[in-house]
Amino acid sequence: MLRLFFRVFTSIQSERNLKIAAVHQSFCSATSLPASLCSGFAVKTLMEPKLYRPPPEVRGMTSLDKEAFTQTITVPALRVPTGVLNKVVKSLRKATIQRPGVPRVVQDKEESSDFRLVLLDPHRVSSPSFFSEAEAEALRSFSVAEELQYYELRLTYHNLKSEEVLEAVLPQGQDVTSGFSRVGHIAHMNLRDHQLPYKNLIGQVIMDKNPGVTCVVNKTNTIDSTYRNFKMEVMAGEENMVAKVKENGVTYEFDFSLVYWNPRLSTEHQRVVQLVKRGDTVFDVFAGVGPFAIPAARSGANVLANDLNPESHRWLQHNCKLNKVEKKVRTFNLDGRAFIQGPVKQELPVLLKGKASVHVVMNLPALALEFLDAFRGLLHQETSCDENLPTVHCYGFSKDDQPETDVVERASRSLGFSLKDQCFVHFVRNVAPNKDMMCVSFTLPKEVLFSADYEQTEPSVEPAPKRQKCEDSTDST
């Protein structure tokens, strides 16, 4: 008899399951089944994995029809006197329905001014026995009957989450993309090939479900390593690419289609800037629009910031003025190597004799390690500066199984000097499967800076051990 009852229950849809919850309770009582068995049985037969089940006709939709997502479902509810309504809602906050744009309290069916219906989550409560002891005690203390009512709830497109809409539309079994990078009013996505036929619909959904997003773009190629920007297409919304963002208390403006900006690096920007003290000097070799340079200047450092991209240079100057640090930042529009062998070379001799620290930031992870050779023999006359040599923070990508070891070896080859046991390696973030972004920080060796043989070929660097002995740390940005 029990098996037959189970088969009948599992074939009934969630709306009818809710209405026969009381029957299930009576069955358990009549058959004297143990409470633990009844409880487990109720969960399996009365709970559904999803509250919203999209109409099958939306599958494959490429032009968004919002009306097609409308659906009416049955949810449980409690009839609550208005005098204790707020207290009951607070006591049942974990059991009430949670849906975008769906009220938790609605008019009583009898339209009585003395009562309201509190809508419950059918996954959480499908019969009175599903209330926790604390919830049941609260209901008794407020004299609220635990008898469930049933309410016909109309769900529309506006009550759905973006992933629910996209799951319903895209072909079954394929990846659903609802994640994006937010850059001001712009949502930046990286769609896969199978998602491209739905790109306009995806863009519209992302814009609808994320207040403040008025433009959705898709990256159409890899980052141009010369200027660090990439081609993109507008999937939905306005074609205004000039974004305004705030990071770590600093405001930036730039044309996102013409410069490089990564919102996932805010923690890394802050980490390095916190190493800089008032009166220090910072050379930012690949400055972009200023996420290292401007905060460093705001902290009281003297900054020389450079970028090869004319658009980045223009917005860098704009952002210096925007943040009122234009007198603390000198900007340059040069190749990174030319910046090192020009302005850096000119400034270093005086700085090395001072007491303030000198930092060189090289954030061009695709190529920066290769630029380290520009420091070989940069200065020709050694001075007494053992304790004030520049600190270099150089970024690089690595696909190696031991990324710390890999970036140190590559930096050593470029410098012509082994950094083994003389550096600090910091994990920045994982940018793709088997691809990490790393930062290697070290004091620029005087053997490199004052090398007479700055034209030397690739040096011999002793084999690295299985685990890098340089310090390393992890950070999630």
Side-chain angles (χ1 to χ4, degrees), residues 170-177 191-199 202:
L170 296 179
Q172 285 183 308
Q174 294 189 353
D175 293 336
V176 174
T177 295
L191 297 186
R192 299 187 178 183
D193 289 344
H194 72 270
Q195 297 159 345
L196 292 177
Y198 308 91
K199 62 185 179 183
I202 292 172

Coordinates of all heavy atoms in Angstrom, one line a residue, residues 170-177 191-199 202:
L170 N 18.1 29.1 -24.1 CA 19.3 28.5 -24.8 C 19.1 27.0 -24.9 O 18.3 26.4 -24.1 CB 20.6 28.8 -24.1 CG 21.0 30.2 -24.0 CD1 22.3 30.4 -23.2 CD2 21.2 30.8 -25.4
P171 N 19.7 26.4 -25.9 CA 19.5 24.9 -26.1 C 19.9 24.1 -24.9 O 20.9 24.5 -24.2 CB 20.5 24.6 -27.3 CG 20.6 25.9 -28.0 CD 20.5 27.0 -27.0
Q172 N 19.1 23.1 -24.6 CA 19.4 22.3 -23.4 C 20.8 21.6 -23.5 O 21.2 21.2 -24.6 CB 18.3 21.2 -23.2 CG 17.0 21.8 -22.7 CD 16.0 20.7 -22.5 OE1 15.7 19.9 -23.4 NE2 15.4 20.6 -21.3
G173 N 21.4 21.5 -22.4 CA 22.7 20.9 -22.3 C 23.9 21.7 -22.7 O 25.1 21.3 -22.6
Q174 N 23.7 23.0 -23.0 CA 24.8 23.9 -23.4 C 24.9 24.9 -22.3 O 24.0 25.3 -21.5 CB 24.5 24.6 -24.7 CG 24.5 23.7 -25.9 CD 24.4 24.4 -27.2 OE1 24.3 25.6 -27.3 NE2 24.5 23.7 -28.3
D175 N 26.2 25.5 -22.2 CA 26.5 26.4 -21.1 C 25.6 27.7 -21.2 O 25.3 28.2 -22.3 CB 28.0 26.9 -21.2 CG 28.9 25.7 -20.9 OD1 28.5 24.8 -20.2 OD2 30.1 25.8 -21.4
V176 N 25.2 28.2 -20.1 CA 24.4 29.4 -20.0 C 25.2 30.5 -19.4 O 25.8 30.3 -18.3 CB 23.1 29.2 -19.1 CG1 22.4 30.5 -18.9 CG2 22.2 28.1 -19.7
T177 N 25.4 31.6 -20.1 CA 26.2 32.7 -19.7 C 25.3 33.8 -19.1 O 24.4 34.3 -19.8 CB 27.0 33.3 -20.9 OG1 27.9 32.3 -21.3 CG2 27.8 34.5 -20.4
L191 N 31.1 35.9 -24.9 CA 30.2 34.8 -25.3 C 30.9 33.7 -26.1 O 31.9 34.0 -26.8 CB 29.1 35.4 -26.2 CG 28.1 36.4 -25.6 CD1 27.0 36.7 -26.6 CD2 27.5 35.8 -24.3
R192 N 30.4 32.5 -25.9 CA 31.0 31.4 -26.7 C 30.2 31.3 -28.0 O 29.1 31.9 -28.2 CB 30.9 30.1 -25.9 CG 31.7 30.2 -24.6 CD 31.7 28.8 -23.9 NE 32.5 28.9 -22.7 CZ 32.7 27.9 -21.9 NH1 32.2 26.7 -22.2 NH2 33.4 28.0 -20.8
D193 N 30.8 30.5 -28.9 CA 30.2 30.4 -30.3 C 28.7 30.0 -30.3 O 27.9 30.5 -31.0 CB 31.0 29.4 -31.1 CG 32.4 30.0 -31.5 OD1 32.6 31.2 -31.4 OD2 33.3 29.2 -31.9
H194 N 28.4 29.0 -29.5 CA 27.0 28.5 -29.5 C 26.0 29.5 -28.9 O 24.8 29.4 -29.1 CB 26.9 27.2 -28.7 CG 27.0 27.3 -27.2 ND1 28.2 27.2 -26.6 CD2 26.1 27.5 -26.3 CE1 28.0 27.4 -25.3 NE2 26.7 27.5 -25.1
Q195 N 26.5 30.6 -28.2 CA 25.6 31.6 -27.7 C 25.4 32.8 -28.6 O 24.5 33.6 -28.4 CB 26.2 32.1 -26.3 CG 26.3 31.0 -25.3 CD 27.3 31.3 -24.2 OE1 28.1 32.2 -24.3 NE2 27.2 30.6 -23.1
L196 N 26.2 32.9 -29.6 CA 26.2 34.0 -30.5 C 24.8 34.2 -31.2 O 24.4 35.4 -31.4 CB 27.3 34.0 -31.6 CG 28.7 34.1 -31.0 CD1 29.8 33.9 -32.1 CD2 28.9 35.4 -30.3
P197 N 24.1 33.2 -31.6 CA 22.8 33.4 -32.3 C 21.8 34.1 -31.3 O 20.8 34.7 -31.8 CB 22.3 32.0 -32.6 CG 23.6 31.2 -32.8 CD 24.5 31.8 -31.7
Y198 N 22.1 34.0 -30.0 CA 21.2 34.6 -29.0 C 21.7 35.9 -28.4 O 21.2 36.3 -27.4 CB 20.9 33.6 -27.9 CG 20.5 32.2 -28.4 CD1 21.4 31.2 -28.7 CD2 19.2 31.9 -28.6 CE1 21.0 30.0 -29.2 CE2 18.7 30.7 -29.1 CZ 19.7 29.7 -29.4 OH 19.3 28.5 -29.9
K199 N 22.8 36.4 -29.0 CA 23.5 37.5 -28.4 C 22.6 38.8 -28.1 O 22.7 39.4 -27.0 CB 24.7 37.9 -29.2 CG 24.4 38.5 -30.6 CD 25.6 38.7 -31.4 CE 25.3 39.2 -32.8 NZ 26.5 39.4 -33.6
I202 N 20.4 37.9 -25.1 CA 21.2 37.8 -23.9 C 21.5 39.2 -23.4 O 21.4 39.5 -22.3 CB 22.5 37.0 -24.2 CG1 22.2 35.5 -24.4 CG2 23.5 37.2 -23.0 CD1 23.4 34.7 -24.8

